[in-house]
Amino acid sequence: MSNINQEYIQNYIRSLLPKPSILIQEMECFARENHIPIVQPEVAQFIVLILQAQRCKKVLEIGTAIGYSSILWATAMGKGSKVVTIERESDMIFLAKQYVQRAQLQDNIKILQGQGEEVVPILKDHFDCIFLDAAKGHYMDFLPSCLSLLKTGGLLISDNVLFRGMVASDALVNRRKITIVKRMRKYLECISNHPQLITSVIPIGDGLAISLKKE
């Protein structure tokens, strides 16, 4: 549990979700057994809804892990879609490529290896949506490049922004996490008051921020 919602609420919401494919179930099991963080299922379902409602076709994802969310986004967007995803760990990339191949989405998902802070600023393309799921203490570092890569009317989706509730309450803050919490609060204040963005912070999963780039 992430301290954002009561466990019984979280479990009930998850009980309403459509049953995922065999491959997605396998990935969820692998991630759970190996303590690999992946997007929470209710958050994934919400983002899938947004991608389809906005008719997105091109997503930039910062933080690939085993390719779980990349596969979900590419599947949701359908034929002709493109997910460009960035991961620094070679072992994660190896696993992600295997799963992407099994999902038959190798033509839709491009995995770039490197530090997100170094890779994102050199990208030249523009995206309908950017999914930010990297190191929580570095979200502010990504913001200028993300805004330049995001199309007008596009969405910046930032995951884990309430960080186990610590960002919303000092009473929950672990001393070792003070720096991350301070940086995330700064990030949320920035995107909530940024002249180019309209932002809503949603208490789902571990906290999700949805920002629309204005006309």
Side-chain angles (χ1 to χ4, degrees):
M1 184 175 159
S2 63
N3 294 324
I4 304 304
N5 280 312
Q6 295 293 328
E7 190 170 4
Y8 74 91
I9 295 176
Q10 177 180 278
N11 290 340
Y12 176 68
I13 292 172
R14 291 182 179 181
S15 76
L16 298 173
L17 299 176
K19 188 175 181 179
S21 69
I22 297 298
L23 178 62
I24 290 298
Q25 290 181 59
E26 179 185 325
M27 295 178 77
E28 290 173 347
C29 183
F30 181 86
R32 185 166 55 250
E33 291 177 352
N34 292 276
H35 308 289
I36 297 170
I38 58 174
V39 63
Q40 296 186 38
E42 65 274 24
V43 174
Q45 180 71 1
F46 183 59
I47 295 174
V48 162
L49 184 155
I50 288 174
L51 293 176
Q52 293 186 343
Q54 291 288 101
R55 298 182 180 179
C56 296
K57 282 296 181 182
K58 190 177 290 187
V59 168
L60 171 64
E61 176 182 69
I62 306 171
T64 310
I66 60 173
Y68 177 81
S69 50
S70 300
I71 290 171
L72 291 177
W73 311 155
T75 301
M77 294 188 293
K79 187 177 180 181
S81 64
K82 191 73 175 180
V83 176
V84 177
T85 182
I86 303 168
E87 175 59 47
R88 65 182 182 180
E89 302 292 343
S90 56
D91 56 339
M92 290 292 103
I93 291 174
F94 176 77
L95 290 168
K97 286 183 175 179
Q98 287 187 317
Y99 283 123
V100 168
Q101 185 80 25
R102 289 176 59 190
Q104 300 183 342
L105 290 169
Q106 57 270 27
D107 292 335
N108 304 87
I109 298 173
K110 181 179 182 180
I111 303 173
L112 303 177
Q113 183 168 10
Q115 294 282 356
E117 298 95 321
E118 298 173 1
V119 176
V120 174
I122 64 175
L123 295 177
K124 302 298 182 184
D125 215 340
H126 287 85
F127 298 89
D128 303 312
C129 178
I130 297 177
F131 180 55
L132 183 51
D133 190 24
K136 286 171 278 294
H138 295 283
Y139 278 25
M140 274 297 295
D141 299 333
F142 290 111
L143 186 58
S145 295
C146 285
L147 287 177
S148 67
L149 294 172
L150 190 62
K151 294 178 179 177
T152 300
L155 295 172
L156 171 63
I157 301 178
S158 311
D159 199 13
N160 304 306
V161 295
L162 296 179
F163 193 36
R164 306 170 195 167
M166 294 184 204
V167 172
S169 173
D170 286 337
L172 297 173
V173 176
N174 182 316
R175 284 179 58 188
R176 293 175 297 173
K177 306 297 184 181
I178 289 175
T179 299
I180 291 175
V181 169
K182 287 182 177 179
R183 289 178 179 178
M184 187 60 79
R185 285 174 177 170
K186 181 180 179 182
Y187 175 74
L188 288 175
E189 290 169 4
C190 181
I191 62 173
S192 295
N193 296 283
H194 199 286
Q196 286 184 275
L197 298 173
I198 301 172
T199 296
S200 179
V201 179
I202 303 167
I204 185 175
D206 198 25
L208 194 70
I210 310 289
S211 304
L212 173 73
K213 186 175 178 180
K214 296 179 185 178
E215 295 286 343

